[in-house]
Amino acid sequence: MAEQTKEYRATLKPEGVRGKSIRKDELREVPHVTSRPNAKYAWAAGVAMSRFLDELKEGRIVGRKCRKCARVLVPPRMFCERCYRQTDEWVELPGTAVIETFAVSYLDTDANRIKEPILVGVVDLDGAPPHCGFMHYFDEMSPDEIHIGMPVEAVWKPKEERDGAITDIRYFRPRRK
Amino acid sequence: MNLKETNRSAAVVGAGMTLFASRLQETGKEMTWEAAKMALDQAGLTLADIDAVILGTAPDAFDGVHKKGEWLLDGAGGVGKPYMRVYTGGGTAVMAPIAGWWHVASGMYDKVLVLCEEKMSSVQPHAQSAFGHIWDPILDRPLKPNLVWIFSMEMQRYMHKYDVSYEDIASVAVKNKRNAVGHPCAQLADPDITLEDVINSEPMALPVRRLDISPPSDGASAVVIVRGDMAHDLTEIPVFIDGVGWCIDTTMWTNRDLAFPEFVVKAAKMAYDMAGIDNPKKEIDVAEPYDPFDYKEVQHLEALGLFEPGEAARATREGKTQRDGELPVCPSGGLLGVGNPIAATLGIKVGELFWQLSGQAGVRQVKKDIRTGVTQAWGDLMQFSSVLVMRRH
């Protein structure tokens, strides 16, 4: 065993540690370079998601059924990743759900602090087996009322404002029907 | 799978890591060079002795450059050698050394250097701006998500399904931030932190509060992995990699069971089978599961078969996972205490088990005799896990 190894073992202590920590304001003082990438993307939604988005525009939530595992895939895909076979048919779902899980967020997308929390979570859609659903906002309920298992329904944008996006649903609210 | 008949055994003979800090002046290349030098020095080797180099680093978006493998190459010591990048998000921390292991266990190479690097401070105004690119562009991004949401939703579902209290989970953060006090690289060590501090910390996305989360960090770590039959010539107590496993679940995250990570169970089973471990509760002496959030440590302990589902949080509050407890968990201080430079947490997972199992962990050393440890990392879109069983023979 090399001599330097033994020496090193004795020095796994602060003086043996490398790296100079700097404060946020110091970053502006030390030599640095900034840039803002100018990259724009246009993602084709694909075969399954294009139909899903078109149906949202009409105020409908649809999934793809896999007859082998009996799941209704929402978000839909043209193949089932578990059975690894083509999915069989489109199924329209009623637009009601229960809350699978949720968060009460005081952070916006860039981690800025916000005063009024965003209620967001995953919906477990009626008409499909468990764990078939997507993320969305919740509203018309308070952070104290929201809970797992709460029955909810989709609140849609007015038809003329819909543009074939997940945001054509404004949010899910406590079910009234 | 043929898990018991790999060509060769492989062992860790040296490890190194830089300071973990919210911002380091060093570039990624400078950090990787420093971590590599420490690991090589500890192994008593120079770069000329190394046959191949593995570099683990997470999203390119943190650095704003493409092909971070090549970007970091010179600092990682890969010039003129077989070199590859491993990237499985947070899971990289344990996946990169698994790649190092198969380079040796396949019989192709004798001595391999494994580096992991992350510099999260370059992206402005916050690493969250880069994390935003993880989400599905069609379904998720129009909702302007913050990555913390997804963890909050998982934690909520976990607490609901297994009736686990927030206070019990928060005791993980207290333990790890206190454990980190002995770590020379630690960013958030706090000898005085209390459960009340965590419970009363700023709400981020409830149930997740500020002190439930590990901090974004800059840092680099390295380990040297060599042929098992060479290991004793290089170091007094080599630590053997006896089991490896990894597994990934669907990217359709809203279609997963968010309460329990079955893919971790599968990855652990592969590693345990390979290491000949039938009863992890009895045979594992020390654990370094991935703890970017306090609830992840308990969820991972349960999926690793070290506690029954829903029991690890209470066990933590009862002190069973303290450094001097029945099963020491994250004696390094973990990501919650030392810091979370995604891939570079190699140093507090595989690095820590090497130092612990070879008796070199200094003030962090687990006092009781420990021979077998398990470490695990978790990443991609919360869907991937890598597991590694390490042993002193």
Side-chain angles (χ1 to χ4, degrees):
Chain A
M1 183 172 38
E3 200 54 36
Q4 65 195 68
T5 312
K6 282 183 186 159
E7 250 171 55
Y8 174 71
R9 282 182 188 171
T11 59
L12 191 66
K13 287 187 298 212
E15 61 267 32
V17 171
R18 327 284 173 92
K20 178 173 170 24
S21 175
I22 52 176
R23 296 189 314 270
K24 191 166 192 171
D25 52 327
E26 285 178 321
L27 178 63
R28 310 292 165 202
E29 291 161 17
V30 298
H32 69 282
V33 175
T34 60
S35 99
R36 180 187 291 271
N38 181 20
K40 292 195 173 75
Y41 297 86
W43 289 287
V47 179
M49 282 305 295
S50 294
R51 170 77 182 263
F52 181 75
L53 297 176
D54 284 347
E55 297 282 355
L56 286 179
K57 210 170 173 177
E58 302 304 317
R60 292 190 291 263
I61 297 170
V62 296
R64 282 288 290 183
K65 179 148 192 178
C66 172
R67 287 204 196 106
K68 192 165 179 208
C69 66
R71 285 193 303 164
V72 177
L73 303 182
V74 187
R77 39 263 193 207
M78 299 311 292
F79 56 90
C80 173
E81 77 282 357
R82 287 189 197 164
C83 306
Y84 215 55
R85 63 187 285 282
Q86 191 170 320
T87 47
D88 299 289
E89 60 187 332
W90 289 98
V91 175
E92 187 186 337
L93 300 169
T96 55
V98 294
I99 297 179
E100 164 106 353
T101 187
F102 66 95
V104 178
S105 183
Y106 292 86
L107 297 176
D108 76 3
T109 189
D110 286 322
N112 297 308
R113 302 328 194 239
I114 46 176
K115 282 223 166 84
E116 283 303 311
I118 300 166
L119 304 183
V120 66
V122 176
V123 289
D124 199 2
L125 292 161
D126 292 347
H131 307 308
C132 292
F134 46 76
M135 175 168 71
H136 221 296
Y137 301 125
F138 300 111
D139 208 338
E140 298 184 38
M141 62 181 85
S142 73
D144 295 329
E145 290 167 320
I146 189 170
H147 61 271
I148 288 175
M150 187 179 201
V152 290
E153 62 188 8
V155 176
W156 297 85
K157 274 184 184 170
K159 190 157 195 233
E160 61 278 12
E161 289 175 25
R162 290 182 211 148
D163 49 9
I166 191 69
T167 45
D168 286 352
I169 299 171
R170 290 171 63 207
Y171 53 81
F172 283 78
R173 71 178 174 205
R175 203 180 305 169
R176 290 173 178 175
K177 289 167 196 161
Chain B
M1 275 191 280
N2 187 359
L3 301 175
K4 299 208 171 143
E5 287 183 33
T6 54
N7 283 350
R8 284 178 178 169
S9 73
V12 178
V13 293
M17 61 191 281
T18 65
L19 197 67
F20 285 5
S22 62
R23 211 168 282 96
L24 289 178
Q25 189 181 0
E26 285 81 0
T27 63
K29 287 178 207 179
E30 288 168 341
M31 292 192 294
T32 50
W33 181 82
E34 289 177 350
K37 187 74 170 59
M38 291 169 83
L40 288 168
D41 283 355
Q42 189 172 29
L45 297 172
T46 68
L47 189 60
D49 300 312
I50 296 296
D51 300 322
V53 176
I54 315 293
L55 185 276
T57 187
D60 289 352
F62 285 149
D63 296 66
V65 293
H66 278 297
K67 303 190 295 184
K68 266 168 84 181
E70 288 70 21
W71 168 250
L72 297 166
L73 166 71
D74 293 19
V79 175
K81 295 183 189 296
Y83 174 79
M84 67 171 285
R85 176 189 180 180
V86 172
Y87 174 25
T88 56
T92 308
V94 171
M95 198 60 215
I98 288 176
W101 168 85
W102 80 55
H103 275 63
V104 174
S106 65
M108 282 187 76
Y109 304 104
D110 292 340
K111 302 187 187 78
V112 170
L113 175 63
V114 180
L115 270 307
C116 280
E117 179 270 0
E118 216 67 68
K119 191 168 177 70
M120 300 172 72
S121 63
S122 301
V123 57
Q124 304 295 313
H126 190 275
Q128 277 298 336
S129 315
F131 282 134
H133 298 271
I134 289 174
W135 298 92
D136 183 275
I138 295 158
L139 269 174
D140 296 335
R141 287 195 216 181
L143 297 170
K144 300 187 174 67
N146 182 297
L147 199 62
V148 178
W149 291 4
I150 208 167
F151 306 116
S152 172
M153 293 177 206
E154 259 204 354
M155 182 172 172
Q156 189 87 259
R157 186 78 201 161
Y158 168 73
M159 290 164 66
H160 173 81
K161 180 163 178 186
Y162 296 108
D163 194 22
V164 175
S165 83
Y166 172 74
E167 289 75 14
D168 287 353
I169 291 173
S171 64
V172 172
V174 177
K175 169 179 70 73
N176 290 4
K177 287 173 201 297
R178 287 187 176 200
N179 277 354
V181 170
H183 205 299
C185 303
Q187 181 176 350
L188 273 191
D190 184 348
D192 303 317
I193 191 168
T194 64
L195 193 55
E196 284 66 37
D197 292 336
V198 181
I199 294 170
N200 296 323
S201 64
E202 185 191 1
M204 306 305 271
L206 292 175
V208 173
R209 291 174 179 272
R210 190 171 57 81
L211 292 178
D212 298 313
I213 312 181
S214 57
S217 188
D218 291 357
S221 300
V223 293
V224 177
I225 300 174
V226 304
R227 262 169 66 169
D229 59 359
M230 289 178 164
H232 283 283
D233 295 335
L234 294 168
T235 190
E236 211 170 329
I237 308 174
V239 177
F240 288 79
I241 298 173
D242 280 359
V244 301
W246 64 101
C247 184
I248 189 162
D249 199 352
T250 173
T251 302
M252 292 289 181
W253 66 274
T254 57
N255 291 170
R256 296 199 294 252
D257 175 3
L258 297 174
F260 189 74
E262 198 59 42
F263 55 96
V264 180
V265 176
K266 289 184 179 170
K269 185 177 183 327
M270 181 175 162
Y272 289 151
D273 282 355
M274 193 166 160
I277 290 174
D278 301 321
N279 185 345
K281 286 196 188 78
K282 278 192 177 158
E283 295 173 67
I284 297 293
D285 304 319
V286 58
E288 271 287 346
Y290 213 60
D291 63 318
F293 290 75
D294 42 16
Y295 83 95
K296 287 315 292 186
E297 173 168 315
V298 290
Q299 223 186 18
H300 289 154
L301 284 171
E302 292 162 9
L304 288 168
L306 300 170
F307 290 91
E308 292 304 308
E311 285 184 2
R314 190 169 303 119
T316 304
R317 195 154 179 197
E318 289 165 356
K320 288 178 183 163
T321 59
Q322 292 284 349
R323 193 179 279 131
D324 59 358
E326 288 168 29
L327 176 71
V329 176
C330 290
S332 65
L335 282 61
L336 286 162
V338 186
N340 185 6
I342 318 280
T345 56
L346 165 77
I348 46 176
K349 295 299 158 197
V350 179
E352 181 71 7
L353 278 195
F354 168 66
W355 288 315
Q356 286 287 348
L357 293 167
S358 61
Q360 303 180 73
V363 296
R364 302 190 312 283
Q365 186 65 47
V366 171
K367 293 290 181 292
K368 69 175 182 182
D369 184 42
I370 48 173
R371 297 188 71 84
T372 306
V374 65
T375 183
Q376 171 255 354
W378 166 79
D380 284 338
L381 190 64
M382 7 177 276
Q383 74 202 112
F384 173 82
S385 190
S386 39
V387 176
L388 208 149
V389 174
M390 296 174 75
R391 257 202 208 107
R392 181 157 49 88
H393 285 181

